[in-house]
Amino acid sequence: MTLVKPRWVHVPWIIGAGVLLVVLLASALLPLATGMFDRWTQRDVDLRSRLVFESIREQVADFAAAGDTARANALFDRLTTDQRLVAAGLCAPDSTLRYGSRSMAEIFSCASIPANTPDMARVAVDVEDRVVVHAFSLDGKPNLGRVVIIHDLGFTAARLAQFRAGLIGALVVAALIAAALVAFVALVMARTWMGSLRQAIDDLRDGRAPPSPPSLLGVGQDVRQALDELDFVRRRIDATHTEWTPETLTVALANELPGSEVIVVSNREPYIHNAGKAGVHVQRPASGLVSAMEPVMRACGGTWVAHGSGSADRETVDAADRVQVPPEAPSYTLRRVWLTEEEQDGYYYGFANEGLWPLCHIAFVRPTFRESDWAMYRTVNAKFADAVAAEAKRPDPVILIQDYHFALLPRMLRERLPEATIVTFWHIPWPNAETFGICPYREEIIEGLLGSSILGFHTQFHCNNFFDTVDRFLESRINRETASIAFGGRETIVRPYPISIEWPPAALATQKPIAECRAIVRERYDLEPDTRLCVGIERFDYTKGIIDRMQAVDSFLTDHPEWAGRFVLLQIAAPTRSKLASYRTLQDEAQALALDINSRHGGGKPGPILLIAEHHEPADVFTLFRAADMCLVSSLHDGMNLVAKEFVAARDDERGVLVLSAFAGASRELGEALIVNPYHTHAMAEAILQALTMSEHDQQARMRLMREQVQSRNVYRWAGQMLLDASRLRKRERISKFVPPTTRAPAGAPA
Ligand code: F6P
């Protein structure tokens, strides 16, 4: 975009030209002024000589008449005590020196006075010796001779140097004053220009009259052209085909929410500082939320408020509990909130993960609701509300609340910061109304969420479930056409925003070529070079269908024993929430099942299932993806599942097969994967076979389409769409303040 420069942008040039002009003037003025000064000085010396002569003429005439040589000489000597008068004396008519100061005979010969010299005259100026000689006839009687007075011109040179320095100084001061004046005028012009520009941009953005000549009066063509270009950028960002990158996201934020402050709130922090044997080390948690939100924060800047859960977290924050991250190139602030063990037990393990998590995932683990957990959930939500309000520097920040840990936070923040734009994203599924209805605190949870300006889910299906739930349990006005719910005098937009990953993924930058990754991983896990590798990588969570996946492998090898010894499922499961019995049971069950399957299909080798219960950093995960022939994502229920998208992103060779659960939100976007029902063991086993026998051509065609999808619908688009909707909502709210309720247009779903 080429913005037309406003006129005041030329001010530096004007100042430069002014300074040049002053320099030119100085060089022209100096010789002139020097000439004038010279003439003035010589007149001054002439006058001095005359004055000296007049003051001594009578005495000299008397001494000459009396022939008093001693007194006459003494008189002339006294004259030369003035350092500018170097010699004086009386030359007789015969051109000899009759009387004189001691210096007279040395520097002057009376014979050098021309015969026709008038009575009072300057006799000679010797520039080299820097002297000027004046001769005056004594009483007009030539027979008495001439008084000669010799001045040193050295003092005039010093005076001239002083005069020149003064003149140059005055010119410089004048130039500086002129430059300061121009700069001041420019500043005033710039302020006026910016004010008009801001007003005009507001007009443009808020859909008021487009920038018309009267509104820009005094601002001019430049502003109007700049506005047109801004509008062009806005339209480009609005367009469906915008290529979303960190840069477009930054521009969208700057254009649509100018000067806004972004605050993210989540339970899980993006960087965990842990104390280890070798000192403090930083861990990137295995969390879809973090993988999605972190690149967005890197692009937008701002503050991320989260629970400080690392063993060295307290050591690494400042006095205000803040630390700048990412550690290698800080670009935003992480503000840590400390939770007691009791708070974690009730809020995180209890209500969030034993109540809401199984409730929303419908994964056949019975939700547990305890009054004490609920009380702690409320307490911790209020604690975070205080922390966010304390972090807010303006009354109207854009607050991005993440996930089911904070269902009450939107309303609590609405009370503390009524002008804030609150965007809440629910990272897990929202169940149908009947299922949600078993939650004893359903009304409070829904009311809490409706404190949001925008409430996002991964899919339209989850939005619909939410509408049904509100409809069933709350007195409100639901407008499904405009995707909004009016409750308690405010509206909440409810929309799907399919979450994604950054593109290109940062972890890909450091990866080795595919062949090397394959070799490294096969060597690391002691696998034959031609072993076909299937990977499963996630948190050790019962919603992920890890047991079901193993059962599918069991079924596959039972039906196709020829693959035994040639196929391995490498299951990386990062331990999570191990304090909860349901998670510990899952880990035990999975270990036992892996042993069982390996014993039956091992054929003397370690067996087809390699279960590693360890956290892996993103770069290691990407190496595993690149080394694999297929990736198996068999979630029993999943909001989106970013592992599926990361596998696709890791395969820049356009090879590898993704087997994906129909119950993961990602299946709506990655239709070229082999879509399976994880509850249907046999069908999943057949999908494994299909993946292993898929032609390279077919793999490439599918992978290419999926990569295009993940590339274009990346996480910057996810965040960008939410922020654009937030911006439209802000404008609408601003306008609605001036529109009487009866004529107010219905709040529509953002475009
Ligand atoms: O799916 C919801 C979610 O918050 C994800 O964003 C994330 O992958 C996971 O749960 C993290 O769980 P936790 O923070 O409890 O380890």
mmCIF file of all heavy atoms in Angstrom, residues 268 287-289 348 357 403-404 427-428 539 576-577, ligand 1:
data_model
loop_
_atom_site.group_PDB
_atom_site.id
_atom_site.type_symbol
_atom_site.label_atom_id
_atom_site.label_comp_id
_atom_site.label_asym_id
_atom_site.label_seq_id
_atom_site.Cartn_x
_atom_site.Cartn_y
_atom_site.Cartn_z
ATOM 1 N N ARG A 268 -4.234 -22.973 31.670
ATOM 2 C CA ARG A 268 -2.891 -23.473 31.353
ATOM 3 C C ARG A 268 -2.027 -22.330 30.853
ATOM 4 O O ARG A 268 -2.462 -21.528 30.025
ATOM 5 C CB ARG A 268 -3.017 -24.571 30.284
ATOM 6 C CG ARG A 268 -1.749 -25.312 29.953
ATOM 7 C CD ARG A 268 -1.150 -26.042 31.110
ATOM 8 N NE ARG A 268 -1.989 -27.117 31.625
ATOM 9 C CZ ARG A 268 -1.860 -27.636 32.851
ATOM 10 N NH1 ARG A 268 -0.948 -27.170 33.689
ATOM 11 N NH2 ARG A 268 -2.650 -28.616 33.238
ATOM 12 N N SER A 287 -0.924 -28.944 25.062
ATOM 13 C CA SER A 287 -2.264 -28.361 25.153
ATOM 14 C C SER A 287 -2.631 -27.730 23.826
ATOM 15 O O SER A 287 -1.898 -26.894 23.297
ATOM 16 C CB SER A 287 -2.272 -27.304 26.254
ATOM 17 O OG SER A 287 -3.338 -26.402 26.056
ATOM 18 N N GLY A 288 -3.765 -28.179 23.293
ATOM 19 C CA GLY A 288 -4.242 -27.623 22.028
ATOM 20 C C GLY A 288 -4.465 -26.126 22.162
ATOM 21 O O GLY A 288 -4.135 -25.348 21.268
ATOM 22 N N LEU A 289 -5.017 -25.752 23.303
ATOM 23 C CA LEU A 289 -5.309 -24.335 23.556
ATOM 24 C C LEU A 289 -4.030 -23.500 23.450
ATOM 25 O O LEU A 289 -3.990 -22.469 22.777
ATOM 26 C CB LEU A 289 -5.912 -24.243 24.955
ATOM 27 C CG LEU A 289 -6.293 -22.920 25.584
ATOM 28 C CD1 LEU A 289 -7.232 -23.215 26.741
ATOM 29 C CD2 LEU A 289 -5.134 -22.111 26.078
ATOM 30 N N TYR A 348 -9.869 -27.015 39.535
ATOM 31 C CA TYR A 348 -9.312 -27.642 38.326
ATOM 32 C C TYR A 348 -9.636 -29.134 38.260
ATOM 33 O O TYR A 348 -10.326 -29.600 37.350
ATOM 34 C CB TYR A 348 -7.798 -27.392 38.288
ATOM 35 C CG TYR A 348 -7.085 -28.118 37.163
ATOM 36 C CD1 TYR A 348 -7.179 -27.668 35.852
ATOM 37 C CD2 TYR A 348 -6.317 -29.251 37.419
ATOM 38 C CE1 TYR A 348 -6.527 -28.331 34.817
ATOM 39 C CE2 TYR A 348 -5.661 -29.923 36.393
ATOM 40 C CZ TYR A 348 -5.766 -29.459 35.093
ATOM 41 O OH TYR A 348 -5.127 -30.127 34.076
ATOM 42 N N TRP A 357 -15.702 -31.542 32.278
ATOM 43 C CA TRP A 357 -15.001 -32.292 31.200
ATOM 44 C C TRP A 357 -15.784 -33.537 30.776
ATOM 45 O O TRP A 357 -16.153 -33.652 29.591
ATOM 46 C CB TRP A 357 -13.581 -32.623 31.668
ATOM 47 C CG TRP A 357 -12.747 -33.355 30.656
ATOM 48 C CD1 TRP A 357 -12.608 -34.713 30.544
ATOM 49 C CD2 TRP A 357 -11.961 -32.796 29.600
ATOM 50 N NE1 TRP A 357 -11.782 -35.027 29.500
ATOM 51 C CE2 TRP A 357 -11.363 -33.860 28.893
ATOM 52 C CE3 TRP A 357 -11.697 -31.493 29.191
ATOM 53 C CZ2 TRP A 357 -10.522 -33.676 27.796
ATOM 54 C CZ3 TRP A 357 -10.854 -31.311 28.084
ATOM 55 C CH2 TRP A 357 -10.284 -32.388 27.406
ATOM 56 N N ASP A 403 -11.796 -21.371 27.448
ATOM 57 C CA ASP A 403 -12.153 -22.695 27.952
ATOM 58 C C ASP A 403 -13.066 -22.820 29.166
ATOM 59 O O ASP A 403 -13.443 -21.840 29.801
ATOM 60 C CB ASP A 403 -10.862 -23.487 28.186
ATOM 61 C CG ASP A 403 -10.923 -24.820 27.440
ATOM 62 O OD1 ASP A 403 -11.994 -25.170 26.948
ATOM 63 O OD2 ASP A 403 -9.897 -25.505 27.386
ATOM 64 N N TYR A 404 -13.305 -24.102 29.455
ATOM 65 C CA TYR A 404 -14.339 -24.478 30.429
ATOM 66 C C TYR A 404 -13.919 -24.224 31.873
ATOM 67 O O TYR A 404 -14.722 -24.409 32.779
ATOM 68 C CB TYR A 404 -14.692 -25.965 30.244
ATOM 69 C CG TYR A 404 -13.516 -26.891 30.450
ATOM 70 C CD1 TYR A 404 -13.337 -27.579 31.649
ATOM 71 C CD2 TYR A 404 -12.559 -27.076 29.456
ATOM 72 C CE1 TYR A 404 -12.249 -28.406 31.852
ATOM 73 C CE2 TYR A 404 -11.464 -27.897 29.652
ATOM 74 C CZ TYR A 404 -11.320 -28.560 30.842
ATOM 75 O OH TYR A 404 -10.235 -29.373 31.033
ATOM 76 N N HIS A 427 -13.277 -24.521 24.307
ATOM 77 C CA HIS A 427 -12.439 -25.416 23.500
ATOM 78 C C HIS A 427 -12.940 -26.846 23.440
ATOM 79 O O HIS A 427 -12.375 -27.673 22.726
ATOM 80 C CB HIS A 427 -11.006 -25.424 24.058
ATOM 81 C CG HIS A 427 -10.246 -24.173 23.753
ATOM 82 N ND1 HIS A 427 -9.280 -24.097 22.780
ATOM 83 C CD2 HIS A 427 -10.319 -22.930 24.291
ATOM 84 C CE1 HIS A 427 -8.790 -22.875 22.743
ATOM 85 N NE2 HIS A 427 -9.399 -22.141 23.652
ATOM 86 N N ILE A 428 -13.928 -27.179 24.249
ATOM 87 C CA ILE A 428 -14.409 -28.576 24.247
ATOM 88 C C ILE A 428 -15.827 -28.600 23.682
ATOM 89 O O ILE A 428 -16.413 -27.538 23.469
ATOM 90 C CB ILE A 428 -14.338 -29.176 25.676
ATOM 91 C CG1 ILE A 428 -15.217 -28.392 26.655
ATOM 92 C CG2 ILE A 428 -12.891 -29.205 26.159
ATOM 93 C CD1 ILE A 428 -15.262 -29.001 28.060
ATOM 94 N N ARG A 539 -2.396 -36.150 24.957
ATOM 95 C CA ARG A 539 -2.392 -36.307 26.406
ATOM 96 C C ARG A 539 -3.036 -37.649 26.729
ATOM 97 O O ARG A 539 -3.878 -38.158 25.977
ATOM 98 C CB ARG A 539 -3.182 -35.175 27.065
ATOM 99 C CG ARG A 539 -2.521 -33.820 26.976
ATOM 100 C CD ARG A 539 -3.357 -32.732 27.627
ATOM 101 N NE ARG A 539 -4.707 -32.713 27.096
ATOM 102 C CZ ARG A 539 -5.781 -33.141 27.732
ATOM 103 N NH1 ARG A 539 -5.678 -33.618 28.966
ATOM 104 N NH2 ARG A 539 -6.958 -33.090 27.184
ATOM 105 N N THR A 576 -1.356 -36.702 32.252
ATOM 106 C CA THR A 576 -2.141 -35.495 32.517
ATOM 107 C C THR A 576 -3.145 -35.800 33.621
ATOM 108 O O THR A 576 -3.643 -36.922 33.711
ATOM 109 C CB THR A 576 -2.863 -35.067 31.216
ATOM 110 O OG1 THR A 576 -3.688 -33.958 31.463
ATOM 111 C CG2 THR A 576 -3.722 -36.170 30.629
ATOM 112 N N ARG A 577 -3.442 -34.837 34.455
ATOM 113 C CA ARG A 577 -4.466 -34.932 35.499
ATOM 114 C C ARG A 577 -4.377 -36.243 36.290
ATOM 115 O O ARG A 577 -5.400 -36.828 36.660
ATOM 116 C CB ARG A 577 -5.855 -34.797 34.871
ATOM 117 C CG ARG A 577 -5.977 -33.574 33.996
ATOM 118 C CD ARG A 577 -7.241 -33.514 33.194
ATOM 119 N NE ARG A 577 -7.173 -32.418 32.226
ATOM 120 C CZ ARG A 577 -8.033 -32.225 31.239
ATOM 121 N NH1 ARG A 577 -9.062 -33.028 31.068
ATOM 122 N NH2 ARG A 577 -7.888 -31.215 30.405
HETATM 123 O O1 F6P B 1 -9.420 -29.487 25.122
HETATM 124 C C1 F6P B 1 -9.486 -28.579 26.131
HETATM 125 C C2 F6P B 1 -8.119 -28.272 26.669
HETATM 126 O O2 F6P B 1 -8.109 -27.118 27.427
HETATM 127 C C3 F6P B 1 -7.218 -28.156 25.493
HETATM 128 O O3 F6P B 1 -7.178 -26.896 25.002
HETATM 129 C C4 F6P B 1 -5.966 -28.729 25.970
HETATM 130 O O4 F6P B 1 -5.393 -29.506 25.024
HETATM 131 C C5 F6P B 1 -6.324 -29.502 27.178
HETATM 132 O O5 F6P B 1 -7.629 -29.281 27.496
HETATM 133 C C6 F6P B 1 -5.386 -29.157 28.267
HETATM 134 O O6 F6P B 1 -5.635 -29.793 29.421
HETATM 135 P P1 F6P B 1 -4.878 -29.427 30.748
HETATM 136 O O7 F6P B 1 -4.620 -27.974 30.698
HETATM 137 O O8 F6P B 1 -5.819 -29.823 31.822
HETATM 138 O O9 F6P B 1 -3.627 -30.219 30.741
#
